[in-house]
Amino acid sequence: MNIILTGFMGTGKTLVGKELAKGLKMSYLDTDKLIENREKAKICRIFQEKGEDYFRRLETKIIKEVSSLDRCVISTGGGAILKKENLAALKRKGVIICLSANPKVILERTRKSQNRPLLKSKDPKSAVEDLLSQRRSFYEKADFEVDTSELTTSEVVERIVDFLRKKSGNNQG
Ligand code: S3P
């Protein structure tokens, strides 16, 4: 089984994913990092030079690959599960955990990032609010959600581990 982290930019997928993998002695993968390694370019440059559609196609290809692995914690880019095909692939062997945060926290956490092309806007507040409202129904498809706005990384990890423990208890009858 894999553990998939989804959720909006700035909700803590990378930090939480790394700590979760360490705690559960699982491998850690980040689809954005895999894309960057394959393209030998940062996400913002891929968007700039090749466009979002190109990035999304690559994202789907990478997701197909990582979905066949086992015992991995996989952080995915915030837009990955918007595509039905990606969500289906990730779900096949994975439990989907969505991290969320309120818009104010998201803005604070992403403010200095140079690598978030979708938030490079004159009005990042509206960009965050618009994207959040477009995406809410997709993020709601996750098996479990943690609002990370007021929590430390360790607290988020604890909640996820707790959920997984209860879930595996239920599965064993
Ligand atoms: C995106 C989120 C980014 C990255 C790309 C697109 C999105 O990942 O995949 O910039 O559509 O929300 P993070 O969520 O890790 O920032």
Side-chain angles (χ1 to χ4, degrees):
M1 194 197 70
N2 296 313
I3 301 170
I4 315 298
L5 294 180
T6 182
F8 204 78
M9 296 166 264
T11 53
K13 298 182 296 272
T14 303
L15 282 176
V16 169
K18 283 183 181 165
E19 197 169 310
L20 184 65
K22 209 168 158 193
L24 296 176
K25 298 192 169 50
M26 291 169 77
S27 307
Y28 175 73
L29 290 172
D30 179 324
T31 58
D32 280 345
K33 278 279 160 308
L34 294 172
I35 292 170
E36 290 189 334
N37 292 345
R38 200 157 297 183
E39 285 293 290
K40 298 189 177 56
K42 294 295 239 180
I43 300 288
C44 64
R45 219 183 96 205
I46 303 173
F47 266 69
Q48 232 168 42
E49 292 181 1
K50 302 200 166 157
E52 181 170 353
D53 284 354
Y54 178 88
F55 170 82
R56 296 296 175 198
R57 281 198 295 277
L58 204 53
E59 186 174 51
T60 297
K61 202 167 154 211
I62 296 276
I63 285 179
K64 209 174 276 170
E65 291 172 18
V66 297
S67 294
S68 66
L69 302 173
D70 198 21
R71 285 199 60 77
C72 293
V73 174
I74 306 169
S75 294
T76 58
I81 68 157
L82 271 57
K83 219 192 233 181
K84 229 177 175 178
E85 182 185 351
N86 293 347
L87 181 63
L90 291 165
K91 269 198 162 190
R92 223 166 289 139
K93 280 170 75 178
V95 50
I96 316 277
I97 312 286
C98 178
L99 302 186
S100 63
N102 65 52
K104 192 166 166 261
V105 168
I106 288 174
L107 275 165
E108 253 165 44
R109 290 183 187 160
T110 55
R111 201 162 43 95
K112 290 199 190 112
S113 169
Q114 299 299 317
N115 203 22
R116 295 226 166 77
L118 296 179
L119 301 182
K120 262 193 183 169
S121 146
K122 277 196 195 113
D123 184 1
K125 186 167 177 277
S126 301
V128 166
E129 284 167 358
D130 289 351
L131 280 172
L132 270 176
S133 72
Q134 285 165 30
R135 292 178 173 188
R136 193 150 291 132
S137 64
F138 294 92
Y139 294 143
E140 279 169 1
K141 293 183 182 149
D143 299 299
F144 183 60
E145 181 176 328
V146 184
D147 184 340
T148 69
S149 305
E150 311 281 337
L151 300 178
T152 64
T153 302
S154 311
E155 285 168 339
V156 178
V157 168
E158 242 170 70
R159 289 188 193 200
I160 297 172
V161 170
D162 203 43
F163 164 75
L164 294 171
R165 198 175 297 130
K166 283 184 189 138
K167 186 178 177 298
S168 82
N170 287 343
N171 286 348
Q172 280 158 22

